[in-house]
């Protein structure tokens, strides 16, 4: 068979390749590249000085601190919780395990506004959890930055649990048994055998949870209280700019969020690459 015939057979191995490639490029351009290009170009209507003036407003700077700081803290809190959930689901058999497994995905299916209303009712000063926390410890969660962190933990948790779970299922138990036969305690086995193997997946889940939390709006807007300079998140400030018909200012905040999130995720990916190279 000639080389031309072999080439044609290879091209025909995936029928509809041209159509699939065309649909992919149209989707990529129409839903990702064009909106990103518009987001990158619109702020320059104000000029460099105008963009700098928008991003250095005290209210906007407070929003950056809250959104990115609360997202990082929420992802840090959700990381051990997600690891614990994944461990329990994959390593133990108990009544209600499947129900617990399904509940992990609840933030994916539940409308974010419903989640925000529910958490506000629970953590308000007269709520089921908010009242004892306020009475016993003097803690106020709802309508404070703490409420933002609680909502973002709820959003980030499933990303971490679902990222770690398949890696934990594929982790051979023979390594844990070998560590035990060599005299390692359970804590030593987890710290030196299990966690190093799970570190790249855990870091990936952290990055996914952080990225999701930074742009979260619906579940945060109710419990945050939206007090200027205290509990205003960046997505809310973008909505405020849009309501004021300051489209260039809203785009400037969105572009700054995109670039900062990209730099952070790039650093996490580089760290993940280093962790993978360090594994045997």
């Amino acid at each position: 068979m000639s080389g031309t015939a072999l080439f044609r057979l290879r091209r025909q191995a995936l029928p509809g390749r041209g159509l699939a490639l065309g649909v992919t490029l149209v989707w990529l351009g129409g839903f990702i590249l064009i909106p990103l290009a518009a987001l990158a170009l619109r702020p320059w209507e104000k000029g460099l000085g105008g963009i700098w003036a928008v991003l250095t407003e005290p209210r906007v700077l407070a929003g950056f601190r809250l959104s990115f700081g609360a997202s990082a803290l929420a992802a840090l809190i959700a990381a051990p919780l997600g690891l614990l959930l994944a461990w329990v689901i994959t390593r133990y058999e108990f009544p209600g395990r499947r129900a617990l497994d399904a509940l992990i995905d609840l933030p994916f299916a539940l409308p974010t506004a419903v989640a925000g209303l529910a958490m506000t009712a629970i953590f308000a000063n007269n709520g089921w959890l908010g009242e004892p926390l306020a009475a016993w410890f003097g803690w106020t969660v709802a309508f404070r930055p703490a409420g933002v962190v609680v909502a973002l933990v709820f959003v980030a948790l499933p990303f971490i649990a679902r990222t770690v779970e398949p890696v934990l299922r594929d982790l051979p138990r023979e390594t844990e048994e070998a560590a035990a036969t060599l005299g390692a305690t359970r804590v030593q086995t987890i710290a030196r055998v299990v966690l190093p193997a799970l570190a790249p997946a855990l870091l990936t889940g952290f990055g996914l949870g952080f990225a999701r939390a930074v742009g979260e709006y619906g579940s945060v807007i109710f419990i945050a209280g939206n007090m200027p300079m205290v509990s205003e998140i960046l997505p809310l400030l973008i909505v405020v700019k849009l309501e004021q018909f300051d489209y260039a200012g809203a785009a400037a905040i969105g572009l700054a969020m995109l670039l900062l999130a990209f730099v952070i995720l790039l650093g996490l990916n580089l760290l993940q690459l280093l962790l993978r190279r360090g594994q045997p």
Side-chain angles (χ1 to χ4, degrees), residues 11 14-28:
R11 291 187 63 186
L14 291 175
R17 176 183 174 185
L19 178 61
L21 181 60
V23 171
T24 301
L25 292 177
V26 170
W27 177 86
L28 183 65

Side-chain angles (χ1 to χ4, degrees), residues 121-132:
I122 291 172
F123 287 99
N125 286 342
N126 58 350
W128 294 347
L129 294 179
E131 186 174 3

